[in-house]
Amino acid sequence: MHKKINKIGIALSMSILMMSTPAFAADASLQEIKFSIGQTQYIVGSMTKDMEAAPYIKDGRTMLPIAYVADAAGIKAENIQWDGSTKTVTIFKGDSIVQMVIGSREMKIDGRTITMETVPEIVNGRTMLPIKYIGDALGVDVQWNGVTKTVTVLTEAPVIAAAAASEQTEEAVQWDYNYDQMLEMAIKSSKDLKKQDKLLEKQEELEDDAAERFKSTNSIPREIATGDGTKQTTYRNLRSQQFAVEKAGKDMETTKESIAYNLKSAYYGVLKAIQNEKLAKMGVALQNDMMNQTSSRYQYQMVSAYENDKAKKDYEEKKKQYEMTVKALDSAYEKLNYLAGLEPKARYTLDDYVAFEEIQEIQWDLDTHIPTVINKSPDIWALEQQIELAQMAIDLYVFRSDGNYETKKIDKQTTQIDLANTKQSYEESLRNLHTNLDVLKKQYDVNMLAYEKAVDALKLVEKQLEVGLAIPLEQKQAAYQVEQLKIKLDQAIMDYNVSLYAYEKPWAAR
């Protein structure tokens, strides 16, 4: 069961590598906290404070009670949670969530697992943690002085906020890849394209051979249906190879378009997973505050035991949901990495700007768009070519060497049925995509209205908070609602763009 740190007296501790300490540069934006091995007092700036657990060295690691470091880093006691049933410590710092289990070398930072060299342990009722890893998690700098056996922790002073805010106003946005760069990587790494390139090369060689054999028969006379059938056979073979070459070229283009479609879907899949993880993290922090509020009200008998227990279960549920979004993000990255030819564990930032892709007015007219797409479809082109070759097999039929004449006619008829079915399938698919695009656009408009209302509500709560008519929890709830609707808007655009690609080139999505 989770309890506040000030009720159960949990103090966390960390360790650092034994190392000599370089001199600190004077920086008014940083605050120094000094801990001495074996001493139950520590120094914050010019003030000396008491603590209940003294730092110590174990296996070459300095173990330090993190509760005091966390406090200096601006982490409130209620944002440090202890679960006695699983012996798990959870720390909330801004948008970050850090979790450690007593006796385990694994530490999770925002769902990512880091293996530590030293396990957290409990000494005299206090949780002691290795500072080498938790220092980064808390955003603090740690230095060890082996001569004085002193640990100095540098945390950001309040004045840092202004500088950070200034940096955030910079227009330059940094990311590792955008969609076009990822697409280029995917095309270069595609094994299917490499295979098809070889097949095209093979078909071109076979076409050259067929052309040479056909030339050796001189030319086709006006009346072909007589003689031993050599000219008919070589000519049909040449036309078949010409078709095979052209189809191999179209197959390569279709594969590139399929890669573009699948990559767009996977690229957006990562962006969605990042957004979902961010929202889930906000949900955990919000539910944590709601649980603490309910717990406080329960102590004063303002809510029932049922409501108090429900708040705790809701918090656990939010944590599980967050863990699921972390796994979903890993899965989304792995899918994109596979397409782009990257290692499965590769992680990077993506250009997350999304906007509706434009569609020409003529494309929105189904009566025009459907026949246009059918005329461009490589599937339908291939079937039409197969019908032409089947007709040629009938027209240039060679008795005794071409098998059953009736089967040639049946081959043509079955291909014509396939062509009709494919055209019908395209038409049905395009009409469904047209409807889906229309629904997505209208849903976006509805969500935009809801988003604008949520923004107005947030502004109102912020003003009420300034004059004491609202509490911070209400502001966090309103901010969560705004973020939730903003994500809905972005993801509606992503879904629209993927559907639009399929609407323009349905063969790429088949």
Side-chain angles (χ1 to χ4, degrees):
M1 182 179 293
H2 295 294
K3 296 183 179 179
K4 290 185 179 179
I5 191 70
N6 59 356
K7 288 198 170 185
I8 63 173
I10 295 294
L12 310 177
S13 63
M14 307 184 287
S15 72
I16 59 172
L17 291 171
M18 303 288 285
M19 55 187 293
S20 59
T21 305
F24 290 120
D27 189 341
S29 67
L30 296 178
Q31 176 176 255
E32 289 188 359
I33 306 105
K34 291 184 178 291
F35 299 86
S36 297
I37 299 300
Q39 301 295 318
T40 57
Q41 289 185 326
Y42 67 107
I43 300 172
V44 181
S46 59
M47 296 184 296
T48 300
K49 296 186 176 182
D50 294 326
M51 57 182 175
E52 299 175 356
Y56 60 89
I57 297 175
K58 179 179 180 180
D59 297 330
R61 302 287 183 267
T62 301
M63 306 298 286
L64 193 68
I66 188 54
Y68 307 100
V69 180
D71 179 67
I75 301 175
K76 297 180 180 180
E78 58 264 26
N79 289 329
I80 304 175
Q81 297 289 333
W82 165 254
D83 187 340
S85 61
T86 61
K87 296 185 178 180
T88 301
V89 178
T90 303
I91 302 174
F92 300 91
K93 183 178 188 293
D95 290 335
S96 294
I97 299 176
V98 183
Q99 287 184 313
M100 292 146 286
V101 178
I102 300 302
S104 172
R105 294 183 182 274
E106 291 187 351
M107 176 174 68
K108 291 185 177 181
I109 301 178
D110 294 336
R112 293 180 293 276
T113 301
I114 296 175
T115 302
M116 301 181 289
E117 297 174 358
T118 306
V119 300
E121 60 185 11
I122 296 178
V123 177
N124 296 329
R126 309 302 181 192
T127 303
M128 314 298 286
L129 303 173
I131 199 171
K132 176 182 177 182
Y133 306 97
I134 201 66
D136 291 336
L138 294 181
V140 297
D141 184 23
V142 182
Q143 298 289 344
W144 165 253
N145 189 319
V147 177
T148 62
K149 297 188 182 302
T150 301
V151 177
T152 302
V153 179
L154 295 179
T155 65
E156 293 180 348
V159 294
I160 285 293
S166 175
E167 291 177 1
Q168 292 175 358
T169 62
E170 296 183 2
E171 294 183 0
V173 178
Q174 298 297 323
W175 36 260
D176 296 319
Y177 302 109
N178 61 18
Y179 170 76
D180 291 335
Q181 291 170 331
M182 295 294 285
L183 178 57
E184 183 179 356
M185 293 163 57
I187 289 175
K188 286 182 178 179
S189 64
S190 172
K191 294 182 177 64
D192 288 338
L193 279 177
K194 292 175 182 177
K195 178 181 178 181
Q196 288 176 342
D197 185 53
K198 292 297 182 183
L199 289 174
L200 175 58
E201 184 179 345
K202 174 184 175 181
Q203 295 299 340
E204 289 172 339
E205 290 290 338
L206 292 174
E207 181 190 20
D208 290 340
D209 293 341
E212 288 297 325
R213 285 195 298 271
F214 178 67
K215 285 179 182 179
S216 68
T217 65
N218 298 318
S219 61
I220 301 177
R222 189 176 299 271
E223 298 293 337
I224 301 181
T226 59
D228 62 1
T230 301
K231 292 180 180 180
Q232 292 97 318
T233 302
T234 55
Y235 178 67
R236 280 174 11 214
N237 183 51
L238 175 59
R239 286 291 294 116
S240 295
Q241 286 306 134
Q242 289 173 340
F243 163 71
V245 170
E246 194 170 357
K247 185 177 185 302
K250 287 183 177 291
D251 286 344
M252 286 191 67
E253 291 304 312
T254 300
T255 298
K256 289 179 182 179
E257 290 166 339
S258 294
I259 290 173
Y261 172 80
N262 291 328
L263 187 82
K264 185 181 288 288
S265 179
Y267 187 97
Y268 283 155
V270 171
L271 294 185
K272 288 179 180 180
I274 290 173
Q275 291 177 333
N276 293 339
E277 184 201 30
K278 177 183 177 182
L279 186 66
K281 189 186 298 183
M282 288 181 65
V284 171
L286 176 61
Q287 197 63 48
N288 177 54
D289 290 345
M290 294 173 66
M291 179 183 68
N292 290 333
Q293 183 191 63
T294 303
S295 178
S296 297
R297 296 178 68 191
Y298 176 67
Q299 293 174 12
Y300 292 99
Q301 298 182 345
M302 297 173 67
V303 298
S304 65
Y306 167 78
E307 291 173 299
N308 187 47
D309 186 56
K310 181 178 181 299
K312 294 175 182 178
K313 290 180 178 178
D314 289 342
Y315 172 71
E316 290 300 319
E317 182 181 1
K318 286 292 183 182
K319 286 205 302 182
K320 293 294 183 184
Q321 290 174 351
Y322 170 70
E323 291 171 1
M324 290 172 61
T325 63
V326 172
K327 293 179 179 178
L329 178 57
D330 285 337
S331 178
Y333 263 114
E334 288 172 4
K335 182 177 181 180
L336 183 58
N337 290 342
Y338 174 78
L339 290 172
L342 298 173
E343 291 295 323
K345 293 185 178 180
R347 297 295 181 268
Y348 38 81
T349 56
L350 296 173
D351 180 7
D352 60 0
Y353 174 75
V354 294
F356 282 110
E357 295 176 2
E358 296 183 1
I359 180 173
Q360 297 179 4
E361 185 175 348
I362 194 172
Q363 289 179 296
W364 195 242
D365 180 7
L366 277 174
D367 291 335
T368 302
H369 185 61
I370 290 174
T372 299
V373 168
I374 287 176
N375 287 334
K376 291 181 178 179
S377 167
D379 300 329
I380 291 174
W381 171 86
L383 288 170
E384 290 173 340
Q385 292 299 306
Q386 289 173 24
I387 291 172
E388 181 181 323
L389 290 174
Q391 183 61 50
M392 184 184 300
I394 296 171
D395 295 339
L396 303 182
Y397 178 79
V398 178
F399 185 68
R400 293 182 180 175
S401 63
D402 277 347
N404 191 304
Y405 179 76
E406 291 301 321
T407 61
K408 301 297 181 184
K409 293 197 289 186
I410 293 174
D411 288 342
K412 177 185 174 182
Q413 292 167 355
T414 56
T415 306
Q416 287 174 325
I417 293 172
D418 289 340
L419 176 61
N421 288 337
T422 302
K423 287 182 177 180
Q424 182 179 348
S425 176
Y426 265 101
E427 181 173 350
E428 291 174 357
S429 175
L430 288 170
R431 291 190 182 278
N432 288 335
L433 286 167
H434 186 276
T435 301
N436 185 48
L437 288 169
D438 191 41
V439 170
L440 286 171
K441 255 305 183 57
K442 290 178 179 177
Q443 186 61 53
Y444 177 87
D445 294 338
V446 172
N447 289 339
M448 176 57 76
L449 290 174
Y451 173 74
E452 291 171 352
K453 289 167 59 179
V455 170
D456 291 340
L458 175 59
K459 291 179 180 178
L460 177 61
V461 171
E462 288 174 341
K463 290 180 180 179
Q464 292 174 333
L465 185 63
E466 291 177 0
V467 296
L469 295 177
I471 60 175
L473 180 58
E474 291 175 305
Q475 188 270 339
K476 289 183 179 180
Q477 290 173 322
Y480 179 83
Q481 183 69 14
V482 168
E483 185 65 24
Q484 187 178 46
L485 288 168
K486 181 180 180 298
I487 288 174
K488 278 188 176 182
L489 290 173
D490 283 348
Q491 295 189 1
I493 294 174
M494 297 181 208
D495 291 340
Y496 179 90
N497 290 344
V498 171
S499 293
L500 179 60
Y501 194 101
Y503 181 72
E504 294 174 332
K505 299 177 180 179
W507 53 84
R510 293 170 75 89

